[in-house]
Amino acid sequence: YSHPPWHKTHMHMHMLRLDGTTLRAATRLAAQARCSVASCAGGGIYTRHYINLSNGVEAIDGLLSAGVAPEALGVCRIQSSQCESQDYSGLLANLDHDMMLHLALGHECRVYDFGSRGATWVADDGSAEPLYVPRAIWWGLEWWRYALNDIWRLPAQRTPILRGVNVERNFREALGRLSKKERRRVKYYRPFTRDGLQEVRLSGYYAPAETDGERQLHRSALLGLSDSLCRRAEVGGTGSGRGSGSEREVRGLALFDPVRMTGRAAGSSARAKLTRHSRDEDEDEEMRQAWAR
């Protein structure tokens, strides 16, 4: 399968449209990504691309054709059913650690998805147009963006908008209902936020789906990405994901072997073994009692 090159039209500050247009537009998009990667040390912004499973795999072929390195592609999972049911905690639980770290470091994260349901959207100039914007893009990303900006205490607290409606009160109440464990999971990355970061750089790209529900086509697209990564590993490309020998580049690094390394210190005393065995039995008994209750 092949998807045409894209351009972007602003319908919302962080929701960008992908259309079949000229190769020049796609080349410009890829060039922007390559330049941002190359100029990080000089103050540029690194761009990472995330495929929202499953329909988002339609973006893989076009991104690779436009020159985006396969190593710059990641995956995420924003379920439309969780957006529809307003499962705030469930959506936040699906926020990937890889993406959170990149956002905390000030990198731009672009999420790609393809919609199967059309709806009429009104632009800033008042014009209306039927568009296929996935709920993951217009609902899920808005919640992720708001939660991260708030929990990380970033200065720019932009008002969350869902289809023209101010939902800050709803999002604020949802944040208040999060458990300590759920907040800690996101808060963990707050110390890593880059100095001067105003807000997370999270954007959503969308287009009409052509392979909705076609799992075999989705599988083929993912295998194609895997093949691209394997080919780069074979030729030793940048960030190639090489296996054998690469571990020697890190000082003091050793491979852990769970078969050969039992965790028992050589020459340990019988008393230490007995104490450890007794403690294990106590823990087993506590678990049995808990299950019985």
Side-chain angles (χ1 to χ4, degrees):
Y1 119 92
S2 178
H3 197 277
W6 308 322
H7 82 295
K8 55 184 182 179
T9 301
H10 289 269
M11 295 294 289
H12 186 281
M13 183 181 296
H14 292 275
M15 189 172 65
L16 307 172
R17 178 181 176 184
L18 306 183
D19 280 341
T21 55
T22 64
L23 180 61
R24 183 170 60 255
T27 304
R28 183 169 62 252
L29 179 63
Q32 291 172 353
R34 287 198 300 271
C35 288
S36 62
V37 172
S39 61
C40 272
I45 299 174
Y46 173 80
T47 301
R48 186 156 175 80
H49 308 265
Y50 290 89
I51 306 303
N52 190 48
L53 301 174
S54 296
N55 283 356
V57 301
E58 292 189 27
I60 294 176
D61 197 44
L63 286 171
L64 295 180
S65 298
V68 175
E71 294 84 4
L73 268 62
V75 297
C76 63
R77 183 80 166 108
I78 309 174
Q79 300 182 55
S80 59
S81 59
Q82 289 184 320
C83 297
E84 292 174 1
S85 62
Q86 300 184 24
D87 183 4
Y88 295 97
S89 61
L91 285 163
L92 211 55
N94 281 338
L95 179 51
D96 183 66
H97 289 279
D98 179 82
M99 183 184 291
M100 280 196 285
L101 181 58
H102 279 285
L103 289 170
L105 295 175
H107 302 162
E108 178 188 0
C109 292
R110 300 178 179 180
V111 177
Y112 301 84
D113 202 2
F114 293 74
S116 59
R117 299 178 182 177
T120 301
W121 286 78
V122 180
D124 295 339
D125 60 3
S127 61
E129 184 180 0
L131 299 173
Y132 288 79
V133 188
R135 197 176 294 266
I137 297 295
W138 68 266
W139 206 108
L141 290 186
E142 193 75 357
W143 163 238
W144 277 5
R145 191 181 298 112
Y146 182 84
L148 292 177
N149 284 336
D150 185 90
I151 296 176
W152 291 350
R153 299 177 181 174
L154 298 180
Q157 294 296 332
R158 185 172 58 85
T159 301
I161 302 294
L162 295 181
R163 300 211 66 174
V165 178
N166 184 336
V167 293
E168 184 165 16
R169 178 178 178 181
N170 305 68
F171 280 10
R172 174 60 54 186
E173 292 176 352
L175 279 177
R177 293 194 299 268
L178 294 177
S179 67
K180 291 183 178 180
K181 181 179 180 180
E182 290 167 336
R183 291 187 68 93
R184 278 199 305 269
R185 179 177 178 273
V186 178
K187 187 179 177 181
Y188 173 83
Y189 294 92
R190 190 166 73 190
F192 304 127
T193 54
R194 184 178 294 275
D195 293 340
L197 182 64
Q198 296 298 304
E199 65 175 343
V200 294
R201 297 183 172 105
L202 183 60
S203 300
Y205 288 74
Y206 69 94
E210 297 178 355
T211 62
D212 181 50
E214 298 288 344
R215 290 301 178 91
Q216 284 301 318
L217 292 178
H218 295 166
R219 178 177 181 272
S220 296
L222 291 169
L223 287 174
L225 174 60
S226 174
D227 291 342
S228 297
L229 290 167
C230 291
R231 283 193 296 270
R232 288 173 66 85
E234 185 177 358
V235 300
T238 303
S240 59
R242 289 178 301 160
S244 179
S246 60
E247 71 280 357
R248 291 193 291 270
E249 303 296 328
V250 182
R251 178 176 58 84
L253 199 63
L255 173 66
F256 175 74
D257 187 342
V259 177
R260 297 179 57 224
M261 304 170 70
T262 64
R264 297 174 181 172
S268 58
S269 66
R271 179 181 178 84
K273 292 181 180 179
L274 181 62
T275 302
R276 184 166 56 248
H277 180 68
S278 176
R279 184 166 59 247
D280 291 343
E281 286 185 339
D282 291 343
E283 292 176 354
D284 291 343
E285 180 60 27
E286 291 179 359
M287 290 182 65
R288 282 193 292 269
Q289 292 178 1
W291 279 108
R293 290 197 294 269

